[in-house]
Amino acid sequence: LRRAAQRGAAWVHVGPVPAAWKRLVTLAVDCQAGDEAAALSAICGAVVSQKLESSAHLAAATDGAVVRAHAFAPALPGCAEAARLIADPARRVILAVNQDTPVGGDHAEVRWAADLALLTGRVGGAAGGLLVVKNEANGQGVQDALYGAGFADAEDLARARAGLRAGTIQAVVLVGVDPAGLGDLAADLARAEFTAAMDLFPNAATARADVVVPLCPIQEEDGTLVSFDGRVTPVRRVFKPLAGFGNLEF
């Protein structure tokens, strides 16, 4: 992002701007944290009201007419200018939306960002696209492995918590999970009769676990990293694991 801005791309930021980024941002559409979806909706509305939409892309989309007919949120300061910047095919534009969506959230800001890309023709290869950056930016492979095993959504988490409260789940294995950052989940996890924690660093999970297994960093493990946009990067072991075994061996 920094390189793109330094090379002349306009950076439009929706939501609170981190202090380290302020000097790079061309236009900030300021709103409170949590209101990013409404701000993006308002920018979409500004694109439509100023007749800046890409008719070709909307015509090619199966739901193009639906996108144009949305009930958009009220305009915010900066929305009209943001719409003009993003809709200008001659400009290179970064649209950054800084929001952490909780487990079970409706991801409305992602849907509005996708609608904005469609409205302005910022889709398809060199024309642009949408990247959803997760907090675990290089942990997509782990996410796929865990979710593919059946623990996929908020409903699964709710069932697990209910099992802990009812006593039907008596043992828990936490892999790289710090309950301290997960609200009242820590109280439910504390109900388990046995807890094993695997992690690189000490945290709330390792502090109360019956068994702590040290995870290997990438320097001690053969494998791959999968980034949020699907790129696979191989890693090779440089040192023998200090724990005596690798993660997969364990």
Side-chain angles (χ1 to χ4, degrees), residues 186-231:
D188 290 331
L189 291 171
R191 298 172 187 267
E193 294 183 10
F194 176 84
T195 300
M198 298 179 64
D199 216 303
L200 281 169
F201 306 104
N203 56 35
T206 61
R208 66 167 304 276
D210 300 287
V211 173
V212 177
V213 180
L215 278 177
C216 293
I218 59 174
Q219 294 90 344
E220 298 178 0
E221 187 83 332
D222 287 330
T224 57
L225 298 175
V226 183
S227 64
F228 67 91
D229 56 346
R231 288 176 295 149

Short mmCIF file of all heavy atoms in Angstrom, two decimals, residues 186-231:
data_model
loop_
_atom_site.label_atom_id
_atom_site.label_comp_id
_atom_site.label_asym_id
_atom_site.label_seq_id
_atom_site.Cartn_x
_atom_site.Cartn_y
_atom_site.Cartn_z
N ALA A 186 -13.35 -17.08 27.36
CA ALA A 186 -12.39 -17.61 28.34
C ALA A 186 -13.11 -18.29 29.50
O ALA A 186 -12.66 -19.32 30.01
CB ALA A 186 -11.50 -16.49 28.84
N ALA A 187 -14.25 -17.72 29.92
CA ALA A 187 -14.99 -18.31 31.04
C ALA A 187 -15.53 -19.69 30.68
O ALA A 187 -15.53 -20.61 31.51
CB ALA A 187 -16.14 -17.38 31.45
N ASP A 188 -15.99 -19.85 29.44
CA ASP A 188 -16.48 -21.16 29.00
C ASP A 188 -15.34 -22.16 28.90
O ASP A 188 -15.48 -23.32 29.30
CB ASP A 188 -17.20 -21.04 27.66
CG ASP A 188 -18.52 -20.30 27.78
OD1 ASP A 188 -19.14 -20.36 28.86
OD2 ASP A 188 -18.93 -19.66 26.80
N LEU A 189 -14.20 -21.73 28.37
CA LEU A 189 -13.06 -22.63 28.25
C LEU A 189 -12.56 -23.09 29.61
O LEU A 189 -12.06 -24.21 29.76
CB LEU A 189 -11.93 -21.95 27.47
CG LEU A 189 -12.19 -21.70 25.98
CD1 LEU A 189 -11.09 -20.82 25.39
CD2 LEU A 189 -12.28 -23.01 25.21
N ALA A 190 -12.70 -22.24 30.61
CA ALA A 190 -12.23 -22.59 31.96
C ALA A 190 -13.04 -23.72 32.57
O ALA A 190 -12.61 -24.33 33.56
CB ALA A 190 -12.28 -21.35 32.85
N ARG A 191 -14.20 -24.03 32.00
CA ARG A 191 -15.04 -25.12 32.53
C ARG A 191 -14.49 -26.51 32.17
O ARG A 191 -14.88 -27.50 32.78
CB ARG A 191 -16.46 -24.99 31.98
CG ARG A 191 -17.18 -23.71 32.37
CD ARG A 191 -18.51 -23.60 31.62
NE ARG A 191 -19.16 -22.33 31.83
CZ ARG A 191 -20.09 -22.09 32.77
NH1 ARG A 191 -20.44 -23.08 33.59
NH2 ARG A 191 -20.64 -20.91 32.90
N ALA A 192 -13.63 -26.58 31.15
CA ALA A 192 -13.11 -27.87 30.71
C ALA A 192 -12.27 -28.51 31.82
O ALA A 192 -11.54 -27.83 32.54
CB ALA A 192 -12.28 -27.71 29.45
N GLU A 193 -12.40 -29.83 31.96
CA GLU A 193 -11.62 -30.55 32.98
C GLU A 193 -10.15 -30.68 32.58
O GLU A 193 -9.28 -30.77 33.44
CB GLU A 193 -12.22 -31.93 33.21
CG GLU A 193 -13.61 -31.91 33.83
CD GLU A 193 -14.13 -33.30 34.12
OE1 GLU A 193 -13.34 -34.27 34.03
OE2 GLU A 193 -15.32 -33.43 34.44
N PHE A 194 -9.90 -30.68 31.28
CA PHE A 194 -8.53 -30.83 30.80
C PHE A 194 -8.32 -29.89 29.62
O PHE A 194 -9.16 -29.82 28.72
CB PHE A 194 -8.25 -32.27 30.36
CG PHE A 194 -6.87 -32.45 29.76
CD1 PHE A 194 -5.76 -32.67 30.56
CD2 PHE A 194 -6.70 -32.39 28.38
CE1 PHE A 194 -4.50 -32.82 29.99
CE2 PHE A 194 -5.44 -32.54 27.81
CZ PHE A 194 -4.34 -32.76 28.63
N THR A 195 -7.22 -29.17 29.63
CA THR A 195 -6.89 -28.24 28.54
C THR A 195 -5.45 -28.46 28.11
O THR A 195 -4.54 -28.46 28.95
CB THR A 195 -7.08 -26.78 28.97
OG1 THR A 195 -8.43 -26.56 29.36
CG2 THR A 195 -6.72 -25.82 27.82
N ALA A 196 -5.25 -28.64 26.81
CA ALA A 196 -3.91 -28.64 26.22
C ALA A 196 -3.80 -27.41 25.34
O ALA A 196 -4.74 -27.07 24.62
CB ALA A 196 -3.67 -29.91 25.40
N ALA A 197 -2.68 -26.72 25.41
CA ALA A 197 -2.47 -25.51 24.63
C ALA A 197 -1.19 -25.64 23.83
O ALA A 197 -0.15 -26.02 24.37
CB ALA A 197 -2.40 -24.28 25.53
N MET A 198 -1.28 -25.34 22.53
CA MET A 198 -0.11 -25.31 21.65
C MET A 198 0.07 -23.88 21.18
O MET A 198 -0.85 -23.30 20.59
CB MET A 198 -0.30 -26.25 20.46
CG MET A 198 -0.46 -27.71 20.82
SD MET A 198 -0.73 -28.75 19.35
CE MET A 198 0.84 -28.53 18.48
N ASP A 199 1.23 -23.30 21.44
CA ASP A 199 1.44 -21.91 21.03
C ASP A 199 2.92 -21.61 20.97
O ASP A 199 3.74 -22.34 21.54
CB ASP A 199 0.75 -20.95 22.00
CG ASP A 199 0.18 -19.74 21.27
OD1 ASP A 199 0.96 -19.04 20.58
OD2 ASP A 199 -1.02 -19.51 21.38
N LEU A 200 3.25 -20.51 20.26
CA LEU A 200 4.63 -20.04 20.19
C LEU A 200 5.01 -19.23 21.42
O LEU A 200 6.16 -19.19 21.83
CB LEU A 200 4.81 -19.17 18.95
CG LEU A 200 4.97 -19.87 17.60
CD1 LEU A 200 4.86 -18.86 16.48
CD2 LEU A 200 6.31 -20.59 17.54
N PHE A 201 4.02 -18.55 22.04
CA PHE A 201 4.31 -17.60 23.10
C PHE A 201 3.39 -17.84 24.30
O PHE A 201 2.28 -18.35 24.15
CB PHE A 201 4.12 -16.16 22.60
CG PHE A 201 4.91 -15.85 21.36
CD1 PHE A 201 4.28 -15.77 20.13
CD2 PHE A 201 6.27 -15.63 21.43
CE1 PHE A 201 4.99 -15.49 18.99
CE2 PHE A 201 7.00 -15.35 20.30
CZ PHE A 201 6.36 -15.27 19.07
N PRO A 202 3.82 -17.45 25.48
CA PRO A 202 2.94 -17.55 26.65
C PRO A 202 1.72 -16.64 26.50
O PRO A 202 1.82 -15.52 26.00
CB PRO A 202 3.83 -17.08 27.81
CG PRO A 202 5.23 -17.20 27.30
CD PRO A 202 5.15 -16.96 25.83
N ASN A 203 0.56 -17.14 26.91
CA ASN A 203 -0.66 -16.33 26.87
C ASN A 203 -1.64 -16.89 27.90
O ASN A 203 -1.28 -17.74 28.72
CB ASN A 203 -1.27 -16.30 25.47
CG ASN A 203 -1.55 -17.70 24.92
OD1 ASN A 203 -1.91 -18.61 25.65
ND2 ASN A 203 -1.37 -17.86 23.61
N ALA A 204 -2.88 -16.42 27.86
CA ALA A 204 -3.87 -16.86 28.84
C ALA A 204 -4.14 -18.36 28.72
O ALA A 204 -4.45 -19.02 29.72
CB ALA A 204 -5.17 -16.07 28.64
N ALA A 205 -4.04 -18.91 27.52
CA ALA A 205 -4.28 -20.35 27.34
C ALA A 205 -3.18 -21.18 27.96
O ALA A 205 -3.43 -22.15 28.70
CB ALA A 205 -4.40 -20.67 25.84
N THR A 206 -1.93 -20.81 27.70
CA THR A 206 -0.83 -21.59 28.26
C THR A 206 -0.73 -21.44 29.77
O THR A 206 -0.26 -22.33 30.48
CB THR A 206 0.51 -21.18 27.61
OG1 THR A 206 0.77 -19.79 27.87
CG2 THR A 206 0.48 -21.40 26.10
N ALA A 207 -1.21 -20.29 30.30
CA ALA A 207 -1.12 -20.05 31.73
C ALA A 207 -2.00 -21.01 32.53
O ALA A 207 -1.66 -21.39 33.65
CB ALA A 207 -1.50 -18.61 32.05
N ARG A 208 -3.13 -21.41 31.95
CA ARG A 208 -4.04 -22.27 32.71
C ARG A 208 -4.11 -23.69 32.16
O ARG A 208 -4.85 -24.53 32.68
CB ARG A 208 -5.45 -21.67 32.72
CG ARG A 208 -6.14 -21.64 31.35
CD ARG A 208 -7.62 -21.34 31.50
NE ARG A 208 -8.27 -22.29 32.39
CZ ARG A 208 -8.72 -23.47 32.01
NH1 ARG A 208 -8.59 -23.86 30.75
NH2 ARG A 208 -9.30 -24.29 32.87
N ALA A 209 -3.33 -24.00 31.13
CA ALA A 209 -3.41 -25.34 30.53
C ALA A 209 -2.78 -26.40 31.42
O ALA A 209 -1.83 -26.14 32.16
CB ALA A 209 -2.71 -25.32 29.16
N ASP A 210 -3.33 -27.61 31.33
CA ASP A 210 -2.74 -28.75 32.03
C ASP A 210 -1.48 -29.23 31.32
O ASP A 210 -0.55 -29.73 31.96
CB ASP A 210 -3.76 -29.89 32.10
CG ASP A 210 -5.02 -29.48 32.85
OD1 ASP A 210 -4.96 -29.35 34.08
OD2 ASP A 210 -6.06 -29.26 32.19
N VAL A 211 -1.47 -29.12 29.99
CA VAL A 211 -0.31 -29.50 29.19
C VAL A 211 -0.05 -28.39 28.19
O VAL A 211 -0.97 -27.92 27.52
CB VAL A 211 -0.55 -30.82 28.42
CG1 VAL A 211 0.60 -31.11 27.47
CG2 VAL A 211 -0.73 -31.98 29.40
N VAL A 212 1.20 -27.95 28.10
CA VAL A 212 1.60 -26.93 27.13
C VAL A 212 2.59 -27.54 26.16
O VAL A 212 3.61 -28.11 26.57
CB VAL A 212 2.23 -25.70 27.82
CG1 VAL A 212 2.71 -24.69 26.78
CG2 VAL A 212 1.23 -25.06 28.77
N VAL A 213 2.29 -27.44 24.88
CA VAL A 213 3.16 -27.97 23.83
C VAL A 213 3.69 -26.77 23.03
O VAL A 213 2.90 -25.99 22.50
CB VAL A 213 2.41 -28.93 22.89
CG1 VAL A 213 3.34 -29.45 21.80
CG2 VAL A 213 1.82 -30.09 23.70
N PRO A 214 5.01 -26.60 22.94
CA PRO A 214 5.55 -25.47 22.18
C PRO A 214 5.39 -25.70 20.67
O PRO A 214 5.85 -26.71 20.14
CB PRO A 214 7.02 -25.44 22.58
CG PRO A 214 7.33 -26.84 23.00
CD PRO A 214 6.08 -27.40 23.60
N LEU A 215 4.72 -24.78 20.02
CA LEU A 215 4.65 -24.82 18.56
C LEU A 215 6.01 -24.44 17.98
O LEU A 215 6.73 -23.63 18.54
CB LEU A 215 3.60 -23.83 18.04
CG LEU A 215 2.14 -24.25 18.04
CD1 LEU A 215 1.27 -23.10 17.55
CD2 LEU A 215 1.92 -25.47 17.15
N CYS A 216 6.33 -25.01 16.83
CA CYS A 216 7.57 -24.66 16.14
C CYS A 216 7.35 -23.43 15.27
O CYS A 216 6.35 -23.34 14.56
CB CYS A 216 8.04 -25.81 15.25
SG CYS A 216 8.54 -27.27 16.15
N PRO A 217 8.29 -22.49 15.28
CA PRO A 217 8.24 -21.40 14.30
C PRO A 217 8.63 -21.94 12.92
O PRO A 217 9.08 -23.09 12.78
CB PRO A 217 9.27 -20.40 14.82
CG PRO A 217 10.25 -21.26 15.57
CD PRO A 217 9.45 -22.38 16.17
N ILE A 218 8.45 -21.12 11.89
CA ILE A 218 8.68 -21.61 10.52
C ILE A 218 10.14 -22.00 10.29
O ILE A 218 10.43 -22.80 9.41
CB ILE A 218 8.24 -20.56 9.47
CG1 ILE A 218 9.01 -19.25 9.65
CG2 ILE A 218 6.76 -20.32 9.54
CD1 ILE A 218 8.72 -18.24 8.55
N GLN A 219 11.07 -21.46 11.11
CA GLN A 219 12.48 -21.82 10.93
C GLN A 219 12.76 -23.27 11.34
O GLN A 219 13.79 -23.83 11.01
CB GLN A 219 13.37 -20.88 11.76
CG GLN A 219 13.35 -19.44 11.30
CD GLN A 219 12.26 -18.65 12.00
OE1 GLN A 219 11.36 -19.23 12.60
NE2 GLN A 219 12.35 -17.33 11.92
N GLU A 220 11.82 -23.88 12.08
CA GLU A 220 12.02 -25.24 12.57
C GLU A 220 11.07 -26.24 11.92
O GLU A 220 10.93 -27.36 12.39
CB GLU A 220 11.80 -25.28 14.10
CG GLU A 220 12.77 -24.42 14.86
CD GLU A 220 12.51 -24.42 16.36
OE1 GLU A 220 11.56 -25.11 16.80
OE2 GLU A 220 13.24 -23.74 17.08
N GLU A 221 10.46 -25.85 10.81
CA GLU A 221 9.41 -26.69 10.24
C GLU A 221 9.43 -26.64 8.71
O GLU A 221 9.65 -25.58 8.13
CB GLU A 221 8.04 -26.18 10.74
CG GLU A 221 6.87 -27.05 10.37
CD GLU A 221 6.67 -28.21 11.33
OE1 GLU A 221 7.66 -28.66 11.93
OE2 GLU A 221 5.54 -28.67 11.47
N ASP A 222 9.25 -27.78 8.07
CA ASP A 222 9.00 -27.83 6.63
C ASP A 222 7.50 -27.67 6.40
O ASP A 222 6.68 -28.21 7.15
CB ASP A 222 9.45 -29.17 6.04
CG ASP A 222 10.96 -29.29 5.96
OD1 ASP A 222 11.63 -28.25 5.80
OD2 ASP A 222 11.46 -30.42 6.04
N GLY A 223 7.13 -26.95 5.35
CA GLY A 223 5.71 -26.82 5.05
C GLY A 223 5.44 -25.67 4.11
O GLY A 223 6.31 -25.30 3.30
N THR A 224 4.26 -25.12 4.19
CA THR A 224 3.87 -24.01 3.33
C THR A 224 3.08 -23.00 4.14
O THR A 224 2.47 -23.32 5.16
CB THR A 224 2.99 -24.48 2.15
OG1 THR A 224 1.83 -25.16 2.68
CG2 THR A 224 3.75 -25.40 1.22
N LEU A 225 3.12 -21.76 3.67
CA LEU A 225 2.24 -20.71 4.17
C LEU A 225 1.28 -20.34 3.05
O LEU A 225 1.69 -20.22 1.89
CB LEU A 225 3.04 -19.47 4.58
CG LEU A 225 4.04 -19.63 5.73
CD1 LEU A 225 4.82 -18.33 5.90
CD2 LEU A 225 3.32 -19.99 7.00
N VAL A 226 0.02 -20.17 3.37
CA VAL A 226 -0.97 -19.74 2.38
C VAL A 226 -1.47 -18.37 2.80
O VAL A 226 -2.02 -18.21 3.90
CB VAL A 226 -2.15 -20.73 2.28
CG1 VAL A 226 -3.12 -20.27 1.19
CG2 VAL A 226 -1.66 -22.13 1.99
N SER A 227 -1.24 -17.37 1.96
CA SER A 227 -1.63 -16.01 2.30
C SER A 227 -3.12 -15.81 2.05
O SER A 227 -3.80 -16.66 1.46
CB SER A 227 -0.83 -15.00 1.47
OG SER A 227 -1.14 -15.14 0.10
N PHE A 228 -3.64 -14.67 2.51
CA PHE A 228 -5.08 -14.42 2.42
C PHE A 228 -5.58 -14.39 0.97
O PHE A 228 -6.75 -14.66 0.72
CB PHE A 228 -5.43 -13.09 3.10
CG PHE A 228 -4.86 -11.89 2.40
CD1 PHE A 228 -5.58 -11.23 1.44
CD2 PHE A 228 -3.59 -11.42 2.71
CE1 PHE A 228 -5.06 -10.12 0.79
CE2 PHE A 228 -3.07 -10.32 2.07
CZ PHE A 228 -3.80 -9.66 1.10
N ASP A 229 -4.68 -14.09 0.02
CA ASP A 229 -5.11 -14.06 -1.38
C ASP A 229 -4.75 -15.34 -2.13
O ASP A 229 -4.79 -15.38 -3.36
CB ASP A 229 -4.53 -12.84 -2.10
CG ASP A 229 -3.01 -12.77 -2.02
OD1 ASP A 229 -2.44 -13.51 -1.20
OD2 ASP A 229 -2.40 -12.00 -2.76
N GLY A 230 -4.41 -16.40 -1.39
CA GLY A 230 -4.25 -17.71 -2.00
C GLY A 230 -2.86 -18.06 -2.47
O GLY A 230 -2.65 -19.14 -3.01
N ARG A 231 -1.87 -17.18 -2.27
CA ARG A 231 -0.51 -17.50 -2.69
C ARG A 231 0.12 -18.50 -1.73
O ARG A 231 0.02 -18.34 -0.52
CB ARG A 231 0.34 -16.23 -2.76
CG ARG A 231 -0.01 -15.32 -3.93
CD ARG A 231 0.81 -14.04 -3.88
NE ARG A 231 0.47 -13.25 -2.69
CZ ARG A 231 1.32 -12.47 -2.05
NH1 ARG A 231 2.57 -12.38 -2.46
NH2 ARG A 231 0.93 -11.77 -1.00
#
